[in-house]
PDB file of all heavy atoms in Angstrom:
ATOM      1  N   GLU E   1     108.168 101.697  88.274  1.00  0.00           N
ATOM      2  CA  GLU E   1     107.505 103.004  88.313  1.00  0.00           C
ATOM      3  C   GLU E   1     105.914 102.979  88.552  1.00  0.00           C
ATOM      4  O   GLU E   1     105.480 103.777  89.332  1.00  0.00           O
ATOM      5  CB  GLU E   1     107.718 103.842  86.888  1.00  0.00           C
ATOM      6  CG  GLU E   1     109.178 104.128  86.679  1.00  0.00           C
ATOM      7  CD  GLU E   1     109.957 103.051  85.977  1.00  0.00           C
ATOM      8  OE1 GLU E   1     109.384 101.890  85.863  1.00  0.00           O
ATOM      9  OE2 GLU E   1     111.127 103.233  85.668  1.00  0.00           O
ATOM     10  N   THR E   2     105.258 102.157  87.869  1.00  0.00           N
ATOM     11  CA  THR E   2     103.818 102.147  88.029  1.00  0.00           C
ATOM     12  C   THR E   2     103.436 101.569  89.438  1.00  0.00           C
ATOM     13  O   THR E   2     102.493 102.114  90.098  1.00  0.00           O
ATOM     14  CB  THR E   2     103.101 101.144  86.984  1.00  0.00           C
ATOM     15  OG1 THR E   2     103.641 101.301  85.754  1.00  0.00           O
ATOM     16  CG2 THR E   2     101.660 101.389  86.971  1.00  0.00           C
ATOM     17  N   GLU E   3     104.241 100.650  89.997  1.00  0.00           N
ATOM     18  CA  GLU E   3     103.940 100.159  91.285  1.00  0.00           C
ATOM     19  C   GLU E   3     104.231 101.369  92.326  1.00  0.00           C
ATOM     20  O   GLU E   3     103.425 101.527  93.247  1.00  0.00           O
ATOM     21  CB  GLU E   3     104.866  99.008  91.662  1.00  0.00           C
ATOM     22  CG  GLU E   3     104.594  98.548  93.055  1.00  0.00           C
ATOM     23  CD  GLU E   3     105.578  97.351  93.473  1.00  0.00           C
ATOM     24  OE1 GLU E   3     106.198  96.779  92.485  1.00  0.00           O
ATOM     25  OE2 GLU E   3     105.786  97.019  94.616  1.00  0.00           O
ATOM     26  N   MET E   4     105.234 102.061  92.082  1.00  0.00           N
ATOM     27  CA  MET E   4     105.534 103.243  92.941  1.00  0.00           C
ATOM     28  C   MET E   4     104.563 104.304  92.937  1.00  0.00           C
ATOM     29  O   MET E   4     104.251 104.874  93.931  1.00  0.00           O
ATOM     30  CB  MET E   4     107.036 103.690  92.697  1.00  0.00           C
ATOM     31  CG  MET E   4     108.090 102.894  93.174  1.00  0.00           C
ATOM     32  SD  MET E   4     108.054 102.597  95.069  1.00  0.00           S
ATOM     33  CE  MET E   4     108.907 101.000  95.171  1.00  0.00           C
ATOM     34  N   PHE E   5     104.032 104.587  91.660  1.00  0.00           N
ATOM     35  CA  PHE E   5     102.978 105.566  91.572  1.00  0.00           C
ATOM     36  C   PHE E   5     101.681 105.001  92.001  1.00  0.00           C
ATOM     37  O   PHE E   5     100.834 105.854  92.630  1.00  0.00           O
ATOM     38  CB  PHE E   5     102.858 105.993  90.112  1.00  0.00           C
ATOM     39  CG  PHE E   5     103.692 107.200  89.733  1.00  0.00           C
ATOM     40  CD1 PHE E   5     104.813 107.016  89.010  1.00  0.00           C
ATOM     41  CD2 PHE E   5     103.348 108.540  90.174  1.00  0.00           C
ATOM     42  CE1 PHE E   5     105.732 108.082  88.681  1.00  0.00           C
ATOM     43  CE2 PHE E   5     104.221 109.515  89.903  1.00  0.00           C
ATOM     44  CZ  PHE E   5     105.251 109.439  89.148  1.00  0.00           C
ATOM     45  N   GLY E   6     101.495 103.646  92.067  1.00  0.00           N
ATOM     46  CA  GLY E   6     100.463 103.106  92.838  1.00  0.00           C
ATOM     47  C   GLY E   6     100.464 103.339  94.327  1.00  0.00           C
ATOM     48  O   GLY E   6      99.510 103.588  95.017  1.00  0.00           O
ATOM     49  N   LEU E   7     101.688 103.156  94.830  1.00  0.00           N
ATOM     50  CA  LEU E   7     101.931 103.472  96.225  1.00  0.00           C
ATOM     51  C   LEU E   7     101.788 104.928  96.583  1.00  0.00           C
ATOM     52  O   LEU E   7     101.264 105.285  97.685  1.00  0.00           O
ATOM     53  CB  LEU E   7     103.329 102.937  96.646  1.00  0.00           C
ATOM     54  CG  LEU E   7     103.513 101.375  96.672  1.00  0.00           C
ATOM     55  CD1 LEU E   7     104.931 101.041  96.937  1.00  0.00           C
ATOM     56  CD2 LEU E   7     102.609 100.714  97.740  1.00  0.00           C
ATOM     57  N   TYR E   8     102.165 105.736  95.642  1.00  0.00           N
ATOM     58  CA  TYR E   8     101.941 107.230  95.727  1.00  0.00           C
ATOM     59  C   TYR E   8     100.501 107.493  95.845  1.00  0.00           C
ATOM     60  O   TYR E   8     100.034 108.309  96.704  1.00  0.00           O
ATOM     61  CB  TYR E   8     102.596 107.851  94.456  1.00  0.00           C
ATOM     62  CG  TYR E   8     102.663 109.350  94.527  1.00  0.00           C
ATOM     63  CD1 TYR E   8     103.353 110.086  95.500  1.00  0.00           C
ATOM     64  CD2 TYR E   8     101.944 110.082  93.516  1.00  0.00           C
ATOM     65  CE1 TYR E   8     103.422 111.415  95.468  1.00  0.00           C
ATOM     66  CE2 TYR E   8     102.016 111.511  93.442  1.00  0.00           C
ATOM     67  CZ  TYR E   8     102.764 112.219  94.480  1.00  0.00           C
ATOM     68  OH  TYR E   8     102.775 113.546  94.503  1.00  0.00           O
ATOM     69  N   ALA E   9      99.662 106.820  95.049  1.00  0.00           N
ATOM     70  CA  ALA E   9      98.265 107.090  95.155  1.00  0.00           C
ATOM     71  C   ALA E   9      97.720 106.415  96.347  1.00  0.00           C
ATOM     72  O   ALA E   9      96.827 107.032  97.091  1.00  0.00           O
ATOM     73  CB  ALA E   9      97.487 106.369  93.857  1.00  0.00           C
ATOM     74  N   LEU E  10      98.222 105.281  96.887  1.00  0.00           N
ATOM     75  CA  LEU E  10      97.773 104.568  98.089  1.00  0.00           C
ATOM     76  C   LEU E  10      98.080 105.530  99.235  1.00  0.00           C
ATOM     77  O   LEU E  10      97.223 105.792 100.113  1.00  0.00           O
ATOM     78  CB  LEU E  10      98.398 103.282  98.195  1.00  0.00           C
ATOM     79  CG  LEU E  10      98.078 102.492  99.497  1.00  0.00           C
ATOM     80  CD1 LEU E  10      98.209 101.003  99.238  1.00  0.00           C
ATOM     81  CD2 LEU E  10      98.938 102.826 100.628  1.00  0.00           C
ATOM     82  N   SER E  11      99.323 106.030  99.406  1.00  0.00           N
ATOM     83  CA  SER E  11      99.613 106.851 100.483  1.00  0.00           C
ATOM     84  C   SER E  11      98.754 108.084 100.544  1.00  0.00           C
ATOM     85  O   SER E  11      98.372 108.459 101.642  1.00  0.00           O
ATOM     86  CB  SER E  11     101.096 107.247 100.358  1.00  0.00           C
ATOM     87  OG  SER E  11     101.326 108.156  99.231  1.00  0.00           O
ATOM     88  N   GLY E  12      98.464 108.709  99.422  1.00  0.00           N
ATOM     89  CA  GLY E  12      97.496 109.780  99.445  1.00  0.00           C
ATOM     90  C   GLY E  12      96.229 109.455  99.791  1.00  0.00           C
ATOM     91  O   GLY E  12      95.569 110.084 100.711  1.00  0.00           O
ATOM     92  N   ARG E  13      95.758 108.295  99.274  1.00  0.00           N
ATOM     93  CA  ARG E  13      94.357 107.948  99.555  1.00  0.00           C
ATOM     94  C   ARG E  13      94.191 107.277 100.821  1.00  0.00           C
ATOM     95  O   ARG E  13      93.070 107.248 101.480  1.00  0.00           O
ATOM     96  CB  ARG E  13      93.811 107.042  98.481  1.00  0.00           C
ATOM     97  CG  ARG E  13      93.661 107.855  97.133  1.00  0.00           C
ATOM     98  CD  ARG E  13      92.713 108.991  97.245  1.00  0.00           C
ATOM     99  NE  ARG E  13      92.567 109.839  96.148  1.00  0.00           N
ATOM    100  CZ  ARG E  13      91.784 110.903  96.100  1.00  0.00           C
ATOM    101  NH1 ARG E  13      91.166 111.354  97.236  1.00  0.00           N
ATOM    102  NH2 ARG E  13      91.669 111.584  95.005  1.00  0.00           N
ATOM    103  N   ALA E  14      95.248 106.795 101.419  1.00  0.00           N
ATOM    104  CA  ALA E  14      95.242 106.057 102.662  1.00  0.00           C
ATOM    105  C   ALA E  14      94.776 107.048 103.805  1.00  0.00           C
ATOM    106  O   ALA E  14      94.186 106.617 104.873  1.00  0.00           O
ATOM    107  CB  ALA E  14      96.505 105.360 103.044  1.00  0.00           C
ATOM    108  N   VAL E  15      95.170 108.239 103.587  1.00  0.00           N
ATOM    109  CA  VAL E  15      94.880 109.246 104.587  1.00  0.00           C
ATOM    110  C   VAL E  15      93.875 110.258 104.005  1.00  0.00           C
ATOM    111  O   VAL E  15      93.429 111.257 104.649  1.00  0.00           O
ATOM    112  CB  VAL E  15      96.149 110.108 105.051  1.00  0.00           C
ATOM    113  CG1 VAL E  15      97.070 109.122 105.683  1.00  0.00           C
ATOM    114  CG2 VAL E  15      96.749 110.779 103.957  1.00  0.00           C
ATOM    115  N   SER E  16      93.276 109.937 102.735  1.00  0.00           N
ATOM    116  CA  SER E  16      92.544 110.863 102.060  1.00  0.00           C
ATOM    117  C   SER E  16      91.145 111.136 102.723  1.00  0.00           C
ATOM    118  O   SER E  16      90.449 112.177 102.602  1.00  0.00           O
ATOM    119  CB  SER E  16      92.222 110.532 100.591  1.00  0.00           C
ATOM    120  OG  SER E  16      91.516 109.414 100.503  1.00  0.00           O
ATOM    121  N   PHE E  17      90.780 110.155 103.483  1.00  0.00           N
ATOM    122  CA  PHE E  17      89.509 110.263 104.261  1.00  0.00           C
ATOM    123  C   PHE E  17      89.659 111.300 105.412  1.00  0.00           C
ATOM    124  O   PHE E  17      88.561 111.828 105.887  1.00  0.00           O
ATOM    125  CB  PHE E  17      89.086 108.877 104.852  1.00  0.00           C
ATOM    126  CG  PHE E  17      90.100 108.438 106.009  1.00  0.00           C
ATOM    127  CD1 PHE E  17      89.895 108.719 107.261  1.00  0.00           C
ATOM    128  CD2 PHE E  17      91.094 107.612 105.567  1.00  0.00           C
ATOM    129  CE1 PHE E  17      90.740 108.264 108.180  1.00  0.00           C
ATOM    130  CE2 PHE E  17      92.000 107.193 106.580  1.00  0.00           C
ATOM    131  CZ  PHE E  17      91.854 107.454 107.921  1.00  0.00           C
ATOM    132  N   ALA E  18      90.893 111.470 105.812  1.00  0.00           N
ATOM    133  CA  ALA E  18      91.179 112.333 106.986  1.00  0.00           C
ATOM    134  C   ALA E  18      90.732 113.795 106.688  1.00  0.00           C
ATOM    135  O   ALA E  18      90.019 114.441 107.463  1.00  0.00           O
ATOM    136  CB  ALA E  18      92.611 112.322 107.433  1.00  0.00           C
ATOM    137  N   GLY E  19      91.121 114.333 105.592  1.00  0.00           N
ATOM    138  CA  GLY E  19      90.862 115.679 105.232  1.00  0.00           C
ATOM    139  C   GLY E  19      89.368 115.874 105.174  1.00  0.00           C
ATOM    140  O   GLY E  19      88.823 116.795 105.783  1.00  0.00           O
ATOM    141  N   PRO E  20      88.605 115.237 104.267  1.00  0.00           N
ATOM    142  CA  PRO E  20      87.197 115.456 104.110  1.00  0.00           C
ATOM    143  C   PRO E  20      86.496 115.149 105.455  1.00  0.00           C
ATOM    144  O   PRO E  20      85.540 115.969 105.800  1.00  0.00           O
ATOM    145  CB  PRO E  20      86.849 114.486 103.050  1.00  0.00           C
ATOM    146  CG  PRO E  20      88.019 114.241 102.249  1.00  0.00           C
ATOM    147  CD  PRO E  20      89.126 114.344 103.093  1.00  0.00           C
ATOM    148  N   LEU E  21      86.879 114.081 106.175  1.00  0.00           N
ATOM    149  CA  LEU E  21      86.141 113.817 107.380  1.00  0.00           C
ATOM    150  C   LEU E  21      86.455 114.802 108.442  1.00  0.00           C
ATOM    151  O   LEU E  21      85.548 115.218 109.292  1.00  0.00           O
ATOM    152  CB  LEU E  21      86.440 112.385 107.953  1.00  0.00           C
ATOM    153  CG  LEU E  21      85.911 111.292 107.030  1.00  0.00           C
ATOM    154  CD1 LEU E  21      86.244 109.947 107.734  1.00  0.00           C
ATOM    155  CD2 LEU E  21      84.380 111.371 106.925  1.00  0.00           C
ATOM    156  N   LEU E  22      87.720 115.363 108.584  1.00  0.00           N
ATOM    157  CA  LEU E  22      88.072 116.356 109.553  1.00  0.00           C
ATOM    158  C   LEU E  22      87.285 117.646 109.185  1.00  0.00           C
ATOM    159  O   LEU E  22      86.715 118.278 110.058  1.00  0.00           O
ATOM    160  CB  LEU E  22      89.506 116.634 109.561  1.00  0.00           C
ATOM    161  CG  LEU E  22      90.440 115.695 110.320  1.00  0.00           C
ATOM    162  CD1 LEU E  22      91.860 116.057 110.101  1.00  0.00           C
ATOM    163  CD2 LEU E  22      90.148 115.837 111.721  1.00  0.00           C
ATOM    164  N   LEU E  23      87.124 117.914 107.915  1.00  0.00           N
ATOM    165  CA  LEU E  23      86.504 119.117 107.506  1.00  0.00           C
ATOM    166  C   LEU E  23      84.984 119.081 107.847  1.00  0.00           C
ATOM    167  O   LEU E  23      84.351 119.933 108.330  1.00  0.00           O
ATOM    168  CB  LEU E  23      86.659 119.383 105.930  1.00  0.00           C
ATOM    169  CG  LEU E  23      86.114 120.633 105.475  1.00  0.00           C
ATOM    170  CD1 LEU E  23      87.003 121.350 104.348  1.00  0.00           C
ATOM    171  CD2 LEU E  23      84.668 120.405 104.890  1.00  0.00           C
ATOM    172  N   ALA E  24      84.508 117.792 107.498  1.00  0.00           N
ATOM    173  CA  ALA E  24      83.023 117.558 107.799  1.00  0.00           C
ATOM    174  C   ALA E  24      82.765 117.660 109.313  1.00  0.00           C
ATOM    175  O   ALA E  24      81.766 118.260 109.756  1.00  0.00           O
ATOM    176  CB  ALA E  24      82.550 116.175 107.309  1.00  0.00           C
TER     177      ALA E  24
END
């Protein structure tokens, strides 16, 4: 579970730069 929620965070953050940078 923790590993998968870690991957859940990774997947979100792996592209998290896209939203703020696209907006900027």
Side-chain angles (χ1 to χ4, degrees):
E1 293 89 352
T2 317
E3 179 181 346
M4 287 297 157
F5 271 103
L7 292 172
Y8 186 60
L10 180 151
S11 64
R13 290 307 178 180
V15 300
S16 65
F17 66 91
L21 287 183
L22 277 173
L23 184 145

